[in-house]
Amino acid sequence: LENRRLLLCKKQENIMTPKQLKEIRLKAGLTQAQLAVLLSLSSQTRIAEYENGHRNPSKQTLMLYDLVAKRKLKHHSRQKAK
């Protein structure tokens, strides 16, 4: 099943697997609902669909997903340093 999901991602030229999307979100300390708000998605259901491999995010969504996660991680690192 994971191979099928990976193939779906590759087919659409997405470079992250559903598992990687979830790992990025968790490392950033975000819930699905929080990430959905940051990405201007209608609900956390869309994030769940991405992470379960039921839907493939667009390239734009992937770029925003990555950007939000990186900013959140950077902010979290600065908070720990204080």
Side-chain angles (χ1 to χ4, degrees), residues 36 41-51 55-57 61:
L41 298 174
S42 57
S43 73
Q44 65 74 223
T45 302
R46 185 62 53 97
I47 299 297
E49 291 172 338
Y50 295 157
E51 292 179 359
R55 181 183 287 264
N56 288 315
T61 299

Side-chain angles (χ1 to χ4, degrees), residues 20-72:
Q20 289 171 317
L21 292 172
K22 183 174 183 176
E23 287 171 358
I24 288 170
R25 177 182 58 78
L26 292 174
K27 284 181 183 177
L30 296 169
T31 65
Q32 289 179 340
Q34 290 169 326
L35 185 58
V37 169
L38 291 171
L39 296 180
S40 299
L41 298 174
S42 57
S43 73
Q44 65 74 223
T45 302
R46 185 62 53 97
I47 299 297
E49 291 172 338
Y50 295 157
E51 292 179 359
N52 291 322
H54 296 139
R55 181 183 287 264
N56 288 315
S58 67
K59 285 183 183 181
Q60 181 180 0
T61 299
L62 277 176
M63 289 176 12
L64 289 171
Y65 199 107
D66 192 45
L67 180 65
V68 166
K70 285 179 181 175
R71 284 182 168 239
K72 184 73 175 174

Side-chain angles (χ1 to χ4, degrees), residues 7-18:
L7 288 174
L8 284 174
C9 287
K10 284 184 177 181
K11 189 181 205 180
Q12 291 192 334
E13 298 179 27
N14 295 342
I15 57 171
M16 287 184 253
T17 66

